[in-house]
C-alpha cells in the first residue's frame, strides 16, 4: 500500500509559512469540507520550473472569485510560494497542488466572514494513467453523469464541488475495467473526461468540443497552439457522441494526463496515430524549460 497523502515527508506551504507535511491539517468543522467552498489547481514542474505557473495562479484567483471569496495573498506571493515548495521538496519533475478554502468561523450555508486559507503541496507524480495502457491508448466508457448547465453550477471554476460527478464517473469506469469516463454535457454533447479535455482527429484535422460548460484547460490551449503551429487545423465545435464512429484518433489533454492517447470509448475504437504521437512529443518538449536545452529538438 502506498504511503497515504497525509503521511508523506516534507513541507507544505500553509497560510504563508512552511509547516511539516504531517501538520498541514484542517478541523472537521471547516466550511470547505461540508459545503465544497474550495478551489484548487493542478500544475506540473519540469526540469525545476512550473509550466504555465502564472496561468495556473490566474485561474486559481479567478476560481476563488467565482466562488465569492478572495485569496488573501498577492499572485506574486503565490507564484513564489509554489516555486519555493517544489524547491524545498527537492523535486525537479513534480506535481504542484495549490488549494484555497473557507475556514471554520461560520458553519452553515452562509459563510460570509470565514477566513480564507491557502496551502501548496508538491510531490512526484510521474504518470496519471498506467504507462503501458497509455502507450496503447487508454480505454474509456461514457459516464452516466453529465457536465452541468452554466446556470446550474460555476462550471468554469476549478472548484472542488464540480468533482463530485467526476469521482462518481471515474469510479464506475474503473469498476468496469476502464481507465476513465468521457462525460457528455447537459445537452448530450461530448464534453470532456473526468480530469482532462478531449480531442479527436479526422482527415488530418483536430476536433474538440467548445468549452462553454467545462474547464478550458491550460494544456488544451497549449496543445491547440502546438497543433496550429504545425499547420494542423483545430476545429472547436459541438460534437455529438454518435460522431465518435467517424474519428480516427482520440487523445486527452490535462496537466496531470499531459497528452494521453485514447484507444477506445465504449464501442468506438481509435488508433494511436501520427498526429497524437507528434503532439505527445511536442508537448513533452514544450513543457521543458528552455534552459534544459530540449526545446530546439522539435
Ligand atoms: N477538465 C477537468 C475536469 C480537469 O480536472 C482538468 C485538469 N485540471 C482539465 C479539464 C484540464 O485542465 P488543465 O489542462 O488546465 O490541467
Amino acid at each position: 500500500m502506498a504511503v497515504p497523502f497525509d503521511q508523506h515527508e516534507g513541507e507544505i506551504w500553509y497560510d504563508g509559512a512552511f509547516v511539516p507535511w504531517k501538520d498541514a491539517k484542517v478541523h472537521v468543522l471547516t466550511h470547505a469540507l461540508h459545503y465544497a467552498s474550495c478551489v484548487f489547481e493542478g500544475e506540473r514542474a519540469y526540469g525545476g520550473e512550473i509550466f504555465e505557473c502564472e496561468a495556473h495562479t490566474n485561474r486559481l484567483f479567478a476560481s476563488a472569485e467565482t466562488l465569492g471569496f478572495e485569496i488573501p495573498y498577492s499572485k506574486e506571493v503565490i507564484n513564489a510560494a509554489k516555486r519555493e515548495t517544489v524547491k524545498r521538496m527537492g523535486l525537479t519533475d513534480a506535481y504542484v497542488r495549490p488549494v484555497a478554502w473557507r475556514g471554520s468561523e461560520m458553519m452553515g450555508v452562509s459563510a460570509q466572514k470565514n477566513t480564507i486559507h491557502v496551502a501548496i503541496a508538491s510531490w512526484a507524480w510521474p504518470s496519471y494513467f498506467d504507462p503501458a495502457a497509455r502507450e496503447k491508448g487508454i480505454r474509456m466508457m461514457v459516464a452516466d453523469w453529465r457536465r452541468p448547465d452554466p446556470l446550474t453550477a460555476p462550471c468554469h471554476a476549478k472548484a472542488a464541488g464540480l468533482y463530485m460527478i467526476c469521482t462518481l464517473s471515474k469510479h464506475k469506469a474503473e469498476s468496469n475495467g476502464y481507465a476513465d469516463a468521457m462525460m457528455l454535457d447537459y445537452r448530450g454533447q461530448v464534453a470532456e473526461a473526468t480530469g482532462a479535455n478531449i480531442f479527436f482527429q479526422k482527415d488530418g484535422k483536430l476536433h474538440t468540443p467548445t468549452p462553454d460548460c467545462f474547464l478550458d484547460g491550460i494544456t488544451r490551449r497549449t496543445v491547440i497552439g502546438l497543433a496550429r503551429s504545425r499547420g494542423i487545423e483545430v476545429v472547436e465545435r459541438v460534437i455529438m457522441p454518435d460522431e465518435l464512429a467517424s474519428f480516427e484518433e482520440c487523445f486527452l489533454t490535462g496537466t496531470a494526463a499531459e497528452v494521453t492517447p485514447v484507444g477506445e470509448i465504449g464501442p468506438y475504437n481509435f488508433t494511436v496515430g501520427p498526429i497524437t504521437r507528434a503532439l505527445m512529443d511536442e508537448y513533452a518538449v514544450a513543457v521543458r524549460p528552455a534552459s534544459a536545452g530540449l526545446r530546439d529538438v522539435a
Side-chain angles (χ1 to χ4, degrees):
M1 185 76 184
V3 181
F5 270 87
D6 55 358
Q7 295 301 318
H8 285 207
E9 297 298 332
E11 289 175 282
I12 288 178
W13 189 91
Y14 196 144
D15 286 345
F18 284 93
V19 300
W21 186 289
K22 289 170 196 165
D23 296 343
K25 295 178 180 171
V26 292
H27 194 270
V28 290
L29 295 177
T30 295
H31 194 269
L33 189 60
H34 297 246
Y35 301 99
S37 51
C38 173
V39 296
F40 65 101
E41 271 305 314
E43 317 184 19
R44 274 189 192 270
Y46 297 89
E49 277 185 35
I50 298 171
F51 182 63
E52 294 286 10
C53 180
E54 285 80 11
H56 283 284
T57 296
N58 289 342
R59 187 168 69 185
L60 182 73
F61 278 65
S63 297
E65 197 185 335
T66 303
L67 262 63
F69 65 79
E70 200 179 315
I71 294 187
Y73 302 95
S74 67
K75 289 184 178 174
E76 291 69 32
V77 165
I78 297 298
N79 285 331
K82 291 194 292 187
R83 293 184 175 116
E84 183 63 17
T85 304
V86 175
K87 206 162 132 201
R88 284 204 186 208
M89 291 299 293
L91 296 164
T92 47
D93 286 8
Y95 187 75
V96 186
R97 168 57 60 87
V99 55
W101 69 97
R102 285 195 171 103
S104 302
E105 287 81 357
M106 289 174 75
M107 184 45 74
V109 173
S110 177
Q112 303 277 11
K113 301 250 155 45
N114 286 27
T115 307
I116 305 306
H117 300 275
V118 184
I120 303 166
S122 182
W123 61 89
W125 192 6
S127 182
Y128 185 61
F129 291 104
D130 168 49
R134 208 170 174 267
E135 201 42 44
K136 286 187 289 180
I138 60 159
R139 298 180 60 238
M140 298 175 70
M141 63 179 276
V142 179
D144 300 330
W145 294 95
R146 292 186 172 199
R147 305 302 312 176
D149 183 329
L151 296 174
T152 302
C155 56
H156 296 293
K158 194 166 166 62
L162 289 163
Y163 284 85
M164 175 173 59
I165 53 173
C166 299
T167 299
L168 283 167
S169 304
K170 179 110 176 168
H171 280 187
K172 180 158 183 190
E174 288 174 342
S175 306
N176 286 284
Y178 295 94
D180 203 355
M182 182 184 81
M183 303 183 77
L184 305 179
D185 71 12
Y186 63 101
R187 297 161 294 201
Q189 301 171 6
V190 171
E192 58 169 352
T194 61
N197 294 116
I198 195 159
F199 287 77
F200 302 94
Q201 186 273 120
K202 174 163 74 171
D203 302 329
K205 285 187 203 167
L206 288 178
H207 301 257
T208 191
T210 309
D212 60 4
C213 65
F214 56 88
L215 217 55
D216 179 7
I218 291 167
T219 319
R220 179 186 182 279
R221 295 202 295 265
T222 301
V223 167
I224 289 176
L226 291 172
R228 287 186 176 147
S229 69
R230 275 189 139 241
I232 299 169
E233 196 178 325
V234 184
V235 190
E236 296 182 71
R237 63 174 178 87
V238 171
I239 299 176
M240 296 310 289
D242 59 8
E243 281 185 66
L244 263 57
S246 69
F247 295 124
E248 297 154 33
E249 299 178 31
C250 174
F251 59 85
L252 305 182
T253 63
T255 298
E258 301 172 304
V259 177
T260 293
V262 177
E264 178 188 330
I265 304 177
Y268 306 111
N269 291 295
F270 309 98
T271 55
V272 184
I275 293 191
T276 303
R277 288 197 189 281
L279 289 169
M280 285 170 85
D281 292 347
E282 289 217 3
Y283 185 73
V285 173
V287 294
R288 291 270 148 204
S291 58
L294 283 168
R295 272 226 173 123
D296 300 335
V297 174

